[in-house]
Amino acid sequence: MHGIFPEPTPELSDNQLLERYAIDRRPYVRFNFVSSLDGSAQVGGVSASLGSAADQRLFKLLRRQASVVLVGAGTVRAEGYDGPLVDPESQIWREANGLGRHPVLAILSNGLNISPTSAVVRNSPAPILLFTAVNVDPQTARHYPQHVQLIQVPQFNGLISATHVVHELTERGLECIHAEGGPTIFGQFIDQQMVDSLCLSISPQLIGGQGARIASGTGEHPQALQLHSVLHEEGMLLTEYRRSRPSATDTPDAP
């Protein structure tokens, strides 16, 4: 995997990639997606066919850094999230760097559509924070295993409020938030301007069809990001765009 921007670089090691993707503020919300050249985020209803070995390598490293992996219930059902989210090498790295062996898994389920007996619940080696907009009573909570915590949050435009989710995570010290979709979740975070970074892998494929975009929201909310990094391997472009930090010399407009 070679660097193109901000400067050309030769083959990058895992440690060099981790340095390149190190976060520069906390809390930090980073989304990770892959899309085709013509903007499709899916082939046959899932994103896996758009990826590559380089994309998967970077995906694993981004998870390695995360204190929490955030994902919508629909993506959990479509892509499968049961079992460990990081490989043994990443678990060793995390422990050596003061992180838990596994990142916490945060699932957003507006209608609480994740069953207490689902594979993701049964097989997760890490704590699960299950966010929902429905009323969470003690009887409902008792149906879930001890490693699952149900958290009721308000809605924004009929969906779970991104602002409240980020607040709940940071209150628990989970400030490096690695979000993996799907499009509705990404759209909700865009709507509320809660996106600090987008890591977008661009697959050298034309798909056509009616595949979803990476974001689906209730309206247009333009937000400029700055190009932070571009990598390349075998036709795949791996980009990161970041929200700019306010300058120390910036001052509020006069009343």
Side-chain angles (χ1 to χ4, degrees):
M1 195 182 303
H2 305 272
I4 296 176
F5 181 87
E7 69 279 327
T9 56
E11 182 69 23
L12 294 165
S13 68
D14 283 355
N15 284 336
Q16 288 172 316
L17 288 170
L18 288 167
E19 289 176 6
R20 180 178 285 245
Y21 284 89
I23 63 174
D24 58 358
R25 73 196 85 166
R26 292 176 183 271
Y28 197 81
V29 180
R30 169 183 278 153
F31 275 83
N32 181 224
F33 280 96
V34 61
S35 80
S36 67
L37 289 172
D38 55 330
S40 178
Q42 298 176 338
V43 180
V46 295
S47 62
S49 297
L50 291 170
S52 69
D55 175 64
Q56 285 300 309
R57 177 188 174 195
L58 184 57
F59 180 73
K60 290 178 181 179
L61 292 176
L62 294 176
R63 277 188 173 181
R64 180 181 293 187
Q65 294 177 322
S67 50
V68 56
V69 173
L70 183 148
V71 65
T75 300
V76 168
R77 290 189 291 270
E79 305 280 356
Y81 274 72
D82 55 309
L85 298 180
V86 293
D87 59 20
E89 183 180 354
S90 293
Q91 294 171 32
I92 293 170
W93 184 93
R94 289 174 61 83
E95 285 192 321
N97 285 271
L99 298 171
R101 195 169 181 87
H102 299 273
V104 172
L105 177 59
I107 303 175
L108 276 58
S109 180
N110 199 51
L112 195 56
N113 296 318
I114 296 292
S115 166
T117 60
S118 63
V120 66
V121 168
R122 287 186 288 105
N123 299 327
S124 175
I128 294 176
L129 301 177
L130 184 50
F131 290 91
T132 182
V134 304
N135 182 51
V136 176
D137 56 59
Q139 183 175 357
T140 300
R142 279 196 295 269
H143 286 99
Y144 288 83
Q146 288 188 346
H147 70 284
V148 179
Q149 181 181 359
L150 273 59
I151 304 171
Q152 183 181 352
V153 291
Q155 290 185 322
F156 177 85
N157 288 338
L159 297 171
I160 288 174
S161 167
T163 303
H164 284 84
V165 168
V166 172
H167 173 75
E168 290 287 344
L169 292 175
T170 55
E171 283 288 297
R172 291 164 172 78
L174 304 172
E175 296 187 316
C176 183
I177 302 166
H178 175 73
E180 298 176 359
T184 301
I185 301 299
F186 189 30
Q188 186 78 333
F189 273 71
I190 292 173
D191 287 351
Q192 296 184 253
Q193 302 214 345
M194 296 299 295
V195 179
D196 293 300
S197 164
L198 170 62
C199 292
L200 177 63
S201 298
I202 303 171
S203 174
Q205 302 183 61
L206 295 172
I207 305 302
Q210 301 297 318
R213 293 172 51 196
I214 64 171
S216 174
T218 57
E220 295 181 352
H221 298 84
Q223 177 184 341
L225 303 180
Q226 293 184 339
L227 183 62
H228 177 76
S229 173
V230 182
L231 306 172
H232 172 264
E233 184 171 296
E234 297 182 352
M236 178 78 79
L237 290 177
L238 303 108
T239 71
E240 183 184 15
Y241 290 83
R242 293 188 177 188
R243 180 160 60 178
S244 61
R245 299 185 68 174
S247 169
T249 61
D250 287 349
T251 56
D253 293 337

